[in-house]
Amino acid sequence: MGKFAIRGLWVLIATIFTVFVTQPIGIKLHFMLSLSALAVMLAISTLRLAGIWRHIFLALASMLIIRYIYWRVTETIPDPSQLLDFIPGVMLIAAELYCIGMLGLGLFVNAQPVTRPQAPQLSDQELPTVDVFVPSYNEDQDLVAVTLAAAKALDYPGDKLTVYLLDDGGTDEKIYAADPVAAAKAAARRRSMQTLCAELGVRYLTRQRNLHAKAGNLNNGLANSTGELVVVFDADHVPAREFLRETIGFFGREPKLFLVQTPHFFVNPDPLERNLSTFAKMPSENEMFYGAIQKGLDSWNAAFFCGSAAVLRRTALDEVGGFAGVTITEDCETALELHARGWKSLYVQKPLIAGLQPETFEAFVGQRSRWGQGMMQIFMLKNPLFKRGLSLAQKLCYLSSNLFWWFPFSRLIFMISPLFFILFNLQIYDASPQDFVAYTLTYIAAVLLTQNYLYGRLRWPWISELYEYVQSVYLAGALASAFLNPRAPKFNVTQKGTSLSEDNLSRLALPFYVIFGVLVAATIYTVARYVAEPASRDLLFVVGIWNIFNTVLAGLALGVVSERRERRSVQRLATNRRGELLVQGQPVPVLLMDASIGGLKVKVADLAGQPLSPGRHSALIRVPRSDGEGVFEAPVTISSVRTVEGARLLGLRFSAVGGDRHGLVADVAYGDLAGVRAMRAARHRQRNLVLATLETAIWGIRETARGLFFALFRRTPTPAAVADVEALPRVPAPVSAAEPSEDAAIASPRHEPGLRLEPRLPQAGAFSAA
């Protein structure tokens, strides 16, 4: 269908809608028209119709939602003279209008999502030079090593590819810190990382001071490199071999292209997925963003940099002085500045990296607080609505991304609003039960159908509400502080690669139990009032159902903060590669079944009857490289032996540190991410709304019971038992008079001194200023 026909359809719908909204139709007629619209929407959704039907669906949804707004604003707000009713009533309608506004922005963003074809394939002579930056702060060395080895093994001409470790954990500021223990730790980290980079053929780069966190670290990389394109991988984001071949070609076709962003895919569950046991079957939280929203943003030239798994053009970064460092979300801020200058971005939906998510609820909340505060900073300091150079569509897209993070305020208002009537008999929603059914229930049905139609394969019903609630309890205060003082937030590093040795309650659990207790008490009181007050039963029934929904959500949250143990700090990825195991000098063919940073699981048909004792037998594993250029060799210790269906399964633990070990893991586990992509696709299943709602209710009962059990029989861990979220140091190290002050660096974050260290190990005092 052509653009003019689509626009004509929307004009017709807008005309019909204007008549529908402004006419004083009765409640029965409104209800019948709403049911008819819902029936058409349900048919379109059930039959999964697209094309023109998508526009009809969205038009009908828009009509119902805006009709609800009209009714809600004109007929249900309490009398301003009754302040006790009016103030919470206005709070509630403000929360509703926020959600409806976000839904409208979401419909706009995702009106015509783009799916990009494969990148043009360039000959080796046509390929530009590429610098790969792996910024690091306090990550485990083995974690960083696998990412570096995979980056070094990317399918790209070696003379055009340079990999840098940007080590912010070994800066001069940290090495010469006043705390001798911290200083010694930083010096040891620098030495070990230098050794690692020398083994892998990677360039080590650090700097004098930890200014501007990740943005400053990346800018130091820019100042000490020359590649035409820059690739950024977080230290825990391991790329597939084809990453560059799937992205670089787009830059040759579009000279104003500054960014090609790819999805972030995670091989471990986040705390909600792990504690609720949903990782294997439910789409991850970020799937809606990377599977739908970024595709929608791409259609408006508004897909933005997500901090990792992306390729950027150096000349574009040079034009804006490097990576932006005013806010703590340097990625979105940088994209905003470049879009405002007329540069273009592009999104490739294919997952090309495998990363890690925060393992503990505490680290998860810390990460989301940083994201939310950074988006609040952008809204306050660089409001996209007033940003010159952006198109109207780009302004709306960035506004949608910024305002999304205001959800804690509306979510908490929805949680407490029923209590105003139940506990204090306040009339904050002036409507009869009949009005509620005709307007509110049809509006809720329209929203649920719309969400399921647009995002059902990527987000199960009610899961957004759960994720928002468990974050809101702590994010509300963090966002309020950023709103009041947008220059105050500091960059916090998210701890990953940790493990929990036993079941325990999160240290952040207490508020969730308090809220759950209040909601349960309110439910009991609702029943008591229902029995004692026959005249109020209709309203008590409606408000009581609302409160029960909130109670189920709060019960699910108890399961989220009841942390299941996860002894494995590294993730195993399935593989199907052949190799050879040398045991006591005897070569034995093996099939590699999975691999991780720590070791391998292999399957052997026969070991000539040799008795093997776990922990006592050493061996050598050999695996052909996927590029056909030789083999990887790594010493291993046999850690377990068992027989399954006539075959012997061996658990192998790496017994020495070396370049081949990390290169082997990078090549075997991460070189081909087809298995990871298949796992991701298998979780993209749309669910029936009614069945999903019933299952969520049962799920809530189960997790409430588990949460109460944890409260009685599981203790909260001490601070040393789990990794905490650590902020970058703010205490400046001694500097020379020639070194720029922090104020000067803020004005021009790109230009700060750095230290350039080549793969060879320099002697003491051999560091030279770049």
Side-chain angles (χ1 to χ4, degrees):
M1 192 174 185
K3 289 184 178 180
F4 290 106
I6 292 174
R7 290 173 181 172
L9 174 64
W10 277 102
V11 170
L12 176 62
I13 293 297
T15 303
I16 296 173
F17 163 75
T18 301
V19 175
F20 178 65
V21 167
T22 57
Q23 293 303 310
I25 61 177
I27 186 172
K28 291 184 179 180
L29 178 58
H30 168 82
F31 186 55
M32 294 305 298
L33 289 174
S34 299
L35 288 182
S36 300
L38 289 172
V40 176
M41 292 168 61
L42 181 62
I44 295 172
S45 177
T46 303
L47 298 174
R48 300 182 183 180
L49 303 178
I52 182 62
W53 294 105
R54 177 185 177 94
H55 295 280
I56 293 174
F57 183 101
L58 296 180
L60 291 173
S62 300
M63 289 171 59
L64 289 179
I65 292 169
I66 301 178
R67 174 63 183 170
Y68 170 77
I69 296 173
Y70 179 80
W71 169 77
R72 185 78 171 86
V73 171
T74 59
E75 298 187 30
T76 67
I77 299 177
D79 187 342
S81 65
Q82 302 296 323
L83 286 180
L84 291 180
D85 294 336
F86 181 73
I87 292 174
V90 169
M91 289 170 52
L92 177 58
I93 197 168
E96 290 185 75
L97 291 175
Y98 163 78
C99 292
I100 293 170
M102 291 306 302
L103 179 62
L105 286 173
L107 294 178
F108 170 78
V109 167
N110 291 280
Q112 291 290 338
V114 172
T115 299
R116 298 286 180 177
Q118 185 180 25
Q121 298 301 298
L122 307 178
S123 66
D124 286 359
Q125 293 73 29
E126 296 175 297
L127 292 173
T129 55
V130 174
D131 291 326
V132 177
F133 292 164
V134 180
S136 173
Y137 179 66
N138 60 356
E139 298 84 2
D140 182 80
Q141 180 171 312
D142 281 342
L143 197 69
V144 178
V146 173
T147 301
L148 292 175
K152 187 69 177 176
L154 288 169
D155 182 11
Y156 209 74
D159 61 336
K160 294 187 174 183
L161 177 67
T162 308
V163 180
Y164 292 86
L165 173 64
L166 308 181
D167 182 22
D168 250 11
T171 59
D172 281 358
E173 177 179 350
K174 295 181 71 65
I175 287 177
Y176 299 115
D179 182 351
V181 175
K185 184 178 179 180
R189 176 184 173 85
R190 179 189 280 190
R191 289 192 298 270
S192 65
M193 288 298 186
Q194 287 178 255
T195 302
L196 174 67
C197 289
E199 292 173 350
L200 296 176
V202 170
R203 296 190 180 186
Y204 179 92
L205 186 64
T206 190
R207 52 186 179 144
Q208 292 177 341
R209 300 177 64 191
N210 295 90
L211 296 176
H212 304 293
K214 184 178 177 180
N217 197 11
L218 292 171
N219 285 332
N220 187 50
L222 286 176
N224 291 279
S225 60
T226 59
E228 297 168 75
L229 300 178
V230 172
V231 179
V232 180
F233 296 126
D234 281 348
D236 59 297
H237 283 186
V238 185
R241 289 194 73 247
E242 73 266 32
F243 182 92
L244 295 179
R245 296 291 183 179
E246 296 284 349
T247 54
I248 295 295
F250 289 110
F251 288 90
R253 187 172 61 185
E254 175 52 70
K256 290 294 290 182
L257 181 67
F258 82 90
L259 169 72
V260 172
Q261 178 67 55
T262 71
H264 294 183
F265 180 81
F266 302 103
V267 296
N268 69 314
D270 67 30
L272 188 147
E273 293 168 327
R274 188 187 73 249
N275 296 330
L276 301 186
S277 303
T278 64
F279 182 64
K281 57 184 178 181
M282 186 179 76
S284 291
E285 181 204 13
N286 58 24
E287 288 295 320
M288 193 165 81
F289 177 73
Y290 288 111
I293 294 174
Q294 276 281 50
K295 292 170 63 178
L297 293 172
D298 195 13
S299 69
W300 303 108
N301 185 31
F304 59 84
F305 178 37
C306 298
S308 180
V311 189
L312 301 101
R313 194 186 297 270
R314 180 182 292 270
T315 53
L317 292 169
D318 287 341
E319 185 175 308
V320 293
F323 293 92
V326 174
T327 72
I328 58 175
T329 46
E330 82 294 328
D331 40 19
C332 183
E333 183 189 352
T334 300
L336 176 67
E337 294 294 342
L338 286 165
H339 277 133
R341 293 186 178 231
W343 289 90
K344 298 180 180 179
S345 62
L346 183 148
Y347 177 67
V348 174
Q349 189 187 2
K350 184 177 182 179
L352 295 167
I353 62 101
L356 293 178
Q357 301 189 90
E359 288 82 357
T360 66
F361 182 70
E362 187 171 359
F364 174 81
V365 169
Q367 181 191 63
R368 302 313 163 92
S369 294
R370 173 166 59 83
W371 293 354
Q373 286 187 316
M375 286 298 190
M376 181 67 77
Q377 286 180 301
I378 291 176
F379 179 80
M380 298 297 294
L381 301 175
K382 299 187 174 185
N383 194 305
L385 281 180
F386 307 107
K387 188 74 173 177
R388 296 181 61 183
L390 295 179
S391 68
L392 177 60
Q394 288 175 318
K395 290 175 185 285
L396 294 176
C397 286
Y398 274 103
L399 186 67
S400 174
S401 299
N402 290 164
L403 292 183
F404 165 79
W405 287 97
W406 293 40
F407 70 80
F409 306 116
S410 63
R411 181 56 54 196
L412 293 179
I413 289 172
F414 290 143
M415 186 66 66
I416 67 172
S417 287
L419 304 181
F420 288 110
F421 179 73
I422 293 171
L423 301 181
F424 308 110
N425 205 34
L426 299 180
Q427 307 290 325
I428 70 171
Y429 196 120
D430 190 8
S432 69
Q434 294 76 18
D435 290 335
F436 183 85
V437 171
Y439 287 93
T440 307
L441 286 188
T442 54
Y443 154 71
I444 293 173
V447 171
L448 289 174
L449 280 172
T450 302
Q451 291 175 337
N452 207 43
Y453 177 68
L454 294 178
Y455 312 118
R457 293 176 60 251
L458 305 172
R459 180 68 58 84
W460 285 2
W462 309 115
I463 294 301
S464 289
E465 287 74 13
L466 178 58
Y467 268 105
E468 289 181 4
Y469 169 60
V470 298
Q471 295 176 74
S472 296
V473 173
Y474 285 95
L475 262 63
L479 291 170
S481 67
F483 179 82
L484 295 173
N485 187 359
R487 295 189 181 274
K490 303 297 181 184
F491 190 100
N492 288 335
V493 177
T494 303
Q495 185 69 44
K496 301 175 186 176
T498 59
S499 61
L500 294 171
S501 59
E502 59 184 18
D503 294 347
N504 57 57
L505 275 179
S506 169
R507 288 188 291 171
L508 306 183
L510 180 59
F512 296 95
Y513 283 89
V514 172
I515 293 172
F516 177 76
V518 170
L519 295 179
V520 169
T523 300
I524 296 172
Y525 188 58
T526 302
V527 174
R529 284 192 62 189
Y530 188 88
V531 173
E533 303 175 26
S536 302
R537 284 179 178 174
D538 288 345
L539 284 176
L540 281 169
F541 179 79
V542 171
V543 177
I545 293 297
W546 183 0
N547 187 65
I548 288 173
F549 169 78
N550 288 340
T551 306
V552 171
L553 202 64
L556 275 169
L558 299 188
V560 175
V561 298
S562 299
E563 307 254 38
R564 297 183 189 272
R565 67 178 182 178
E566 177 58 80
R567 293 180 176 176
R568 183 174 294 164
S569 60
V570 294
Q571 300 300 313
R572 295 180 178 272
L573 268 70
T575 185
N576 187 26
R577 292 277 292 275
R578 297 195 176 275
E580 183 180 70
L581 188 67
L582 263 64
V583 181
Q584 297 179 356
Q586 177 183 346
V588 179
V590 297
L591 177 67
L592 279 67
M593 302 182 68
D594 66 37
S596 72
I597 295 172
L600 309 163
K601 181 168 73 175
V602 302
K603 181 178 182 179
V604 299
D606 181 49
L607 276 174
Q610 294 184 26
L612 296 175
S613 301
R616 295 188 177 184
H617 283 79
S618 297
L620 185 72
I621 186 74
R622 291 176 176 168
V623 181
R625 298 171 61 102
S626 59
D627 59 10
E629 299 181 2
V631 298
F632 292 107
E633 291 187 352
V636 294
T637 299
I638 298 174
S639 58
S640 65
V641 181
R642 59 193 180 99
T643 302
V644 178
E645 297 180 353
R648 303 182 80 177
L649 301 183
L650 306 182
L652 307 179
R653 182 184 298 116
F654 292 117
S655 57
V657 176
D660 262 12
R661 169 196 172 186
H662 298 122
L664 186 154
V665 173
D667 191 74
V668 169
Y670 298 94
D672 181 3
L673 295 181
V676 167
R677 287 190 282 269
M679 178 181 72
R680 175 178 181 256
R683 296 187 299 186
H684 290 177
R685 296 181 295 107
Q686 193 160 10
R687 306 179 73 211
N688 178 277
L689 268 174
V690 176
L691 294 179
T693 300
L694 292 175
E695 186 176 344
T696 301
I698 296 171
W699 196 16
I701 295 171
R702 184 193 73 194
E703 291 306 319
T704 298
R706 191 172 71 86
L708 295 176
F709 175 83
F710 269 57
L712 293 172
F713 302 106
R714 293 289 185 269
R715 61 191 178 94
T716 301
T718 62
V722 294
D724 203 354
V725 181
E726 183 179 358
L728 287 174
R730 304 178 196 174
V731 180
V735 294
S736 67
E739 185 175 348
S741 67
E742 185 163 355
D743 290 339
I746 291 174
S748 181
R750 168 70 190 275
H751 300 101
E752 63 171 288
L755 298 177
R756 187 192 189 97
L757 290 91
E758 300 298 334
R760 61 183 176 80
L761 291 179
Q763 301 299 316
F767 303 112
S768 59

